[in-house]
Amino acid sequence: MSERQARTRTPTWWVWLAAWPVTAVFVLSNAATPLYVLWQRDIGFSKGTLTVVFAFYIVGLIGSLLVSGVVSDRLGRVPVLLPALALALAACAIFATATTVTALVVARLFTGIAVGAVVSAGMAAVSDVAGPERKRLAALLASCAMVFGAGLGPLLAGLLSETLPAPTVTIFAVEAVLLVTAVLAVLRMPVRRPAAPGKGAWVRVPGVPHGNGIHLALGVAVFAPGITATSFVLSLGPTLLTELLGTTSRIVAGVMAFGMFLAATGVQFALRKLPRRTILTAGAISTTLSMAALVVAVRSSSAALLVASALLAGAGQGMGQLGGLSLLNSTVPPQRLAEANAALNVGGYLPAGLLPVSTGYLMDAVGLPTGATLFGAVVAGLAVTGGLVVLIRPAAPRAQDFRIP
């Protein structure tokens, strides 16, 4: 790095702060998880309907990813992040006043759109602020911001709903405050507008530049089964705790979800210096073991195995996410990075939306143990396939460390 670059480089604390909007929005993404049992009781709907409510988040997210990555690369990060944060604030208001399934669907849809924007524009903004010499730090912080926020939301919701009045309102008031601080961070964020606009359609299936397809494929191969496993725990975990283990504690449900994403965060810091291929392979193994533990847990009504399944799922998602993001950050040019991040998340969230919804209705038809067993078998098969792709692919990228500068 030249002397001039050293003088003008953005301070490292700004790289960390740039990740805060990602964390704040992801707090909202799963804050409703421990509260679904209350809405089910008060409104009245089945496990299948519950997974549909959850899936509208995926619908909004994928729809957002078709637009936000391209728009962010052409217009800049801030013009995408500010509307996303405004939509997240609207979702908070709708959640806090929801009395119908329709309101929950709309709130989840808005949440998904906001999340789609931050996983493309927000994560790319972290890389922009970090600069080319700190790409590995940017990938690590962006990935950990996502999973830490995703875990913090249900933990706060569980604790606040059990200890304070208005259990389905308080968490969203707290989250609104967090989102306002994220708005302030975005307004001051030291990111520049793109030097030149891109070409092609504004709305399109996100992709990567020619030659980066292998990097995207390797990331999706491990990230997709991992996030599908965690999506199942988020959508149906509280129901499993209630029906199999006899607990209705929202704190327990929130702690389990938080532990899952804490594992996803911790494993990324712990393994960041390993080769990327090793990280991706370990992620596939972790997701496979998670599904094995899930099947045994529902068959034996074992609380310990259900928690172990959640922790392993979190680790699997975390490793797949870190490996995929790092591959893209290190190879995709900045003017296509937000779109590349969007492509990774489309590949992950499609099965994460479809499989839990199918399983929810399957459980209504054939029972919880059978439905969970079939889900576990399918996701384990995907994880094993992804791990084999990583191991045998001869054109896999060089194994580089995640050493932080």
Side-chain angles (χ1 to χ4, degrees):
M1 181 174 59
S2 69
E3 183 179 348
R4 180 180 179 182
Q5 286 176 315
R7 290 197 306 267
T8 60
R9 189 173 76 164
T10 304
T12 300
W13 63 264
W14 247 120
V15 185
W16 287 76
L17 186 58
W20 172 241
V22 179
T23 299
V25 172
F26 268 92
V27 169
L28 176 63
S29 70
N30 295 327
T33 296
L35 307 178
Y36 285 129
V37 291
L38 294 178
W39 285 314
Q40 276 187 293
R41 181 197 66 195
D42 296 339
I43 300 174
F45 50 84
S46 68
K47 291 187 288 294
T49 300
L50 172 59
T51 55
V52 169
V53 171
F54 184 85
F56 264 88
Y57 163 81
I58 308 293
V59 171
L61 188 149
I62 292 176
S64 177
L65 291 173
L66 298 178
V67 181
S68 58
V70 176
V71 173
S72 174
D73 285 335
R74 294 185 184 182
L75 300 183
R77 314 311 183 197
V78 173
V80 173
L81 290 175
L82 289 179
L85 290 167
L87 208 56
L89 285 165
C92 285
I94 297 171
F95 269 129
T97 57
T99 57
T100 65
V101 170
T102 300
L104 295 177
V105 165
V106 172
R108 287 295 286 171
L109 182 67
F110 283 6
T111 302
I113 296 171
V115 168
V118 299
V119 297
S120 52
M123 290 182 168
V126 179
S127 296
D128 291 348
V129 173
E133 70 280 3
R134 292 178 291 189
K135 287 184 176 181
R136 291 173 185 149
L137 173 62
L140 179 66
L141 292 183
S143 184
C144 287
M146 173 179 168
V147 293
F148 181 73
L152 185 60
L155 176 65
L156 288 176
L159 290 172
L160 295 177
S161 68
E162 292 276 11
T163 58
L164 295 177
T168 59
V169 176
T170 309
I171 176 58
F172 299 109
V174 172
E175 165 62 0
V177 174
L178 300 182
L179 290 169
V180 169
T181 65
V183 170
L184 298 177
V186 170
L187 289 173
R188 298 297 302 275
M189 191 178 294
V191 289
R192 298 178 180 178
R193 292 177 63 89
K199 299 178 180 179
W202 287 81
V203 179
R204 65 180 186 229
V205 176
V208 293
H210 180 72
N212 291 120
I214 178 58
H215 307 112
L216 176 63
L218 290 174
V220 170
V222 179
F223 176 53
I227 199 169
T228 301
T230 58
S231 294
F232 177 84
V233 174
L234 289 170
S235 60
L236 291 170
T239 300
L240 289 174
L241 288 170
T242 299
E243 296 194 10
L244 292 180
L245 309 179
T247 177
T248 59
S249 171
R250 295 184 294 279
I251 293 179
V252 172
V255 167
M256 184 174 73
F258 178 73
M260 179 172 69
F261 287 110
L262 187 63
T265 304
V267 75
Q268 294 182 64
F269 278 98
L271 304 182
R272 67 188 186 276
K273 294 184 179 181
L274 293 180
R276 292 177 179 127
R277 177 178 284 187
T278 301
I279 291 174
L280 289 170
T281 303
I285 293 172
S286 184
T287 301
T288 303
L289 294 175
S290 168
M291 293 298 94
L294 173 67
V295 171
V296 178
V298 298
R299 294 289 178 177
S300 61
S301 297
S302 169
L305 283 174
L306 184 60
V307 171
S309 174
L311 295 177
L312 288 166
Q317 176 187 334
M319 287 183 277
Q321 186 173 297
L322 177 61
L325 281 175
S326 182
L327 287 173
L328 296 177
N329 269 17
S330 63
T331 59
V332 176
Q335 63 270 23
R336 293 288 303 277
L337 185 56
E339 184 182 355
N341 289 343
L344 176 67
N345 282 278
V346 167
Y349 276 104
L350 273 174
L354 294 174
L355 288 177
V357 169
S358 303
T359 303
Y361 279 105
L362 185 63
M363 285 179 174
D364 287 334
V366 301
L368 192 150
T370 301
T373 299
L374 291 173
F375 173 85
V378 170
V379 175
L382 292 174
V384 169
T385 301
L388 291 175
V389 168
V390 171
L391 284 174
I392 67 177
R393 175 66 188 180
R398 287 187 304 121
Q400 297 176 353
D401 284 353
F402 288 94
R403 191 173 290 109
I404 298 177

